Amino acid sequence: MPRMPRRDAPGALHHVTLRGVGGCDIFVDDLDRDDLYRRILLVSREHRSPILAFAFMGNHIHVIVQTGPVPLATTMARIATGYALYFNRRHGRVGHLFQNRYHATPIEDDNHLRHSIRYVHVNPLAAGILRGHVDVLDGYPWTGHEQLSAGRVDGLLDLRAALAPFGETVAKARRELLSFMRAWRRNAPEPLKAPLA
């Protein structure tokens, strides 16, 4: 059966997941995570494709990305291929690192975007990588939560675009974001399993 064409156009928002082949880990250590972080930062800036959220897990990643003038497929291929070559070279392995293509779910409106940002950023809590409540994400570098909550302009995320669905001003949006994040467990059932890639 042929693959269905992806829905993509400049300005479209997507929740992207990229999984290790056969469930394999795609990170050995923080050097790997740092390489992928810098790679996403570089490619997203070159392709003018803002990143609104991210989470690096053991065997997969989540990224919320807005398509710029370059198609999402091209952006993701550059990130995934470059990282796989780096990872295989560094760890003396051969073959595919990622399972199939990336999976992309279109984000339809601001409410969907709010829930998607929260879903992505609480993934380490939902998976048991971190313990506690959402406040533990404040010092955790492998999601974008700390960048949003602290208003870090030097990070991967496009703060303006990521905070926009939470309020008209940055201060109001950050307050609403934190309130929304802290309500995560009270708002169950919110899906805790990512879509299959």
Side-chain angles (χ1 to χ4, degrees), residues 54-160:
F54 74 93
F56 292 174
M57 307 298 287
N59 66 356
H60 68 284
I61 65 168
H62 295 267
V63 181
I64 295 179
V65 59
Q66 184 174 34
T67 302
V70 177
L72 179 64
T74 304
T75 299
M76 291 309 301
R78 185 164 166 215
I79 291 168
T81 301
Y83 181 72
L85 290 170
Y86 150 84
F87 187 90
N88 284 354
R89 187 170 49 250
R90 180 172 184 237
H91 298 292
R93 71 181 295 278
V94 295
H96 295 286
L97 177 61
F98 294 111
Q99 175 180 306
N100 302 324
R101 307 186 288 177
Y102 63 93
H103 181 271
T105 301
I107 296 175
E108 303 296 341
D109 55 38
D110 280 352
N111 189 50
H112 189 183
L113 177 57
R114 286 166 52 101
H115 283 273
S116 296
I117 288 171
R118 179 166 66 186
Y119 173 82
V120 166
H121 288 162
V122 300
N123 246 259
L125 287 165
I129 294 170
L130 297 176
R131 304 229 180 263
H133 206 270
V134 296
D135 293 337
V136 302
L137 293 170
D138 287 340
Y140 186 68
W142 307 119
T143 76
H145 174 73
E146 192 238 357
Q147 292 177 30
L148 291 181
S149 65
R152 275 191 46 211
V153 296
D154 61 337
L156 175 60
L157 301 188
D158 181 323
L159 294 183
R160 182 195 56 75

Side-chain angles (χ1 to χ4, degrees), residues 8-16 36-54 63-79 102 147 155-162:
D8 191 27
L13 284 167
H14 309 273
H15 174 185
V16 173
L36 183 57
Y37 181 94
R38 287 184 287 110
R39 194 173 301 279
I40 293 171
L41 178 67
L42 174 71
V43 173
S44 67
R45 287 185 177 169
E46 284 183 5
H47 291 195
R48 298 194 317 263
S49 296
I51 305 298
L52 282 68
F54 74 93
V63 181
I64 295 179
V65 59
Q66 184 174 34
T67 302
V70 177
L72 179 64
T74 304
T75 299
M76 291 309 301
R78 185 164 166 215
I79 291 168
Y102 63 93
Q147 292 177 30
L156 175 60
L157 301 188
D158 181 323
L159 294 183
R160 182 195 56 75

